[in-house]
Amino acid sequence: MEWETVGLNQRVVRETVVYILGPSVLALFYGRHLGWRVDRLALKNTVLLALFVLPFYIVGSSLPSVRTYYPMWETGAALGEFLPHTVKQFVVVIAAETYYRGLLCVGVREIGFKSVFISPIVYTIHHLGKPPIEIILSGPTDVLFGAVDYKSNSILPSIIAHGAGLALLDWLVLHDPLIPTTQVLSWLRWLPVPL
């Protein structure tokens, strides 16, 4: 990626062009489906995936490394500042999910379930520079999100789980932890990474 960005506004433009428009043009040209669909199965799996990842965001928001890193782009807790930030960030999430789960998973579903294993390494590399716990979890998360989207034939589950989770994480980080940091650190002290 040679297209450097400064700030969330520029990132929204880049992600829309590279990760939404690019895959969409490829999908149209090659007659592919990127998972832009909503049906009963996708809605059910969206709720289940969002509920599954919710504790990870809540626990993660108490970790010092996460609290130092997030929010990735400057925002405040006042709704007039936080909501526009969240909407822009949600566009970035839609872009990422369109690429990773749409183009690289649902878009090649004819190769079977193994399509969920196409992007984990690239997705993990995309997370370099983030808190170490997030880097460790990114590969398995990619597989989980891909599997749910593959089974749903829709990227709606990963868009909502990722987008709503990131908004929740930012909100929690801007406030006192729901679970005391010392408690979370004691639970996770066995992990071989700085927390």
Side-chain angles (χ1 to χ4, degrees), residues 5 15-16 29 55 57 67 75-76 80 103 120 132 136 138 144 148 156 158 171-172 178 181 193:
T5 60
E15 304 293 287
T16 299
F29 188 75
Y57 286 108
R67 293 184 72 79
T75 188
L103 182 67
I136 288 171
S138 62
L144 172 65
V148 173
L156 181 67
S158 59
W171 181 259
L172 293 172
L178 290 179
T181 297
V193 295

Side-chain angles (χ1 to χ4, degrees), residues 180-195:
T181 297
T182 53
Q183 180 65 56
V184 172
L185 290 175
S186 72
W187 292 340
L188 300 177
R189 69 178 173 269
W190 56 272
L191 286 171
V193 295
L195 299 172

Side-chain angles (χ1 to χ4, degrees), residues 18-29 32 34 36 98 103:
V18 175
Y19 294 118
I20 295 177
L21 296 178
S24 296
V25 168
L26 287 172
L28 284 171
F29 188 75
R32 300 288 178 161
L34 295 179
W36 284 92
T98 298
L103 182 67

Side-chain angles (χ1 to χ4, degrees), residues 121-193:
I121 292 173
V122 176
Y123 191 69
T124 301
I125 290 169
H126 189 132
H127 284 76
L128 292 177
K130 294 186 176 185
I133 188 74
E134 190 171 344
I135 296 169
I136 288 171
L137 291 173
S138 62
T141 300
D142 183 78
V143 172
L144 172 65
F145 282 21
V148 173
D149 288 356
Y150 175 86
K151 292 293 186 185
S152 305
N153 198 19
S154 171
I155 61 173
L156 181 67
S158 59
I159 286 174
I160 298 302
H162 191 180
L166 193 53
L168 174 65
L169 180 67
D170 281 354
W171 181 259
L172 293 172
V173 165
L174 291 169
H175 297 84
D176 292 333
L178 290 179
I179 305 171
T181 297
T182 53
Q183 180 65 56
V184 172
L185 290 175
S186 72
W187 292 340
L188 300 177
R189 69 178 173 269
W190 56 272
L191 286 171
V193 295

Side-chain angles (χ1 to χ4, degrees), residues 15-136:
E15 304 293 287
T16 299
V17 170
V18 175
Y19 294 118
I20 295 177
L21 296 178
S24 296
V25 168
L26 287 172
L28 284 171
F29 188 75
Y30 289 102
R32 300 288 178 161
H33 163 66
L34 295 179
W36 284 92
R37 59 181 276 159
V38 177
D39 60 18
R40 188 179 173 107
L41 178 62
L43 290 171
K44 180 187 86 162
N45 288 342
T46 297
V47 171
L48 292 174
L49 183 60
L51 289 174
F52 179 80
V53 300
L54 179 64
F56 290 92
Y57 286 108
I58 292 171
V59 170
S61 70
S62 295
L63 295 173
S65 62
V66 172
R67 293 184 72 79
T68 300
Y69 186 81
Y70 287 94
M72 289 188 287
W73 297 282
E74 187 155 342
T75 188
L79 287 181
E81 186 177 353
F82 185 77
L83 289 178
H85 162 85
T86 300
V87 169
K88 291 174 193 173
Q89 193 167 251
F90 203 78
V91 172
V92 171
V93 166
I94 291 170
E97 297 304 332
T98 298
Y99 177 72
Y100 288 109
R101 256 60 72 191
L103 182 67
L104 300 179
C105 182
V106 175
V108 293
R109 69 180 287 112
E110 71 273 0
I111 69 170
F113 189 74
K114 61 188 169 194
S115 66
V116 305
F117 298 104
I118 292 174
S119 66
I121 292 173
V122 176
Y123 191 69
T124 301
I125 290 169
H126 189 132
H127 284 76
L128 292 177
K130 294 186 176 185
I133 188 74
E134 190 171 344
I135 296 169
I136 288 171

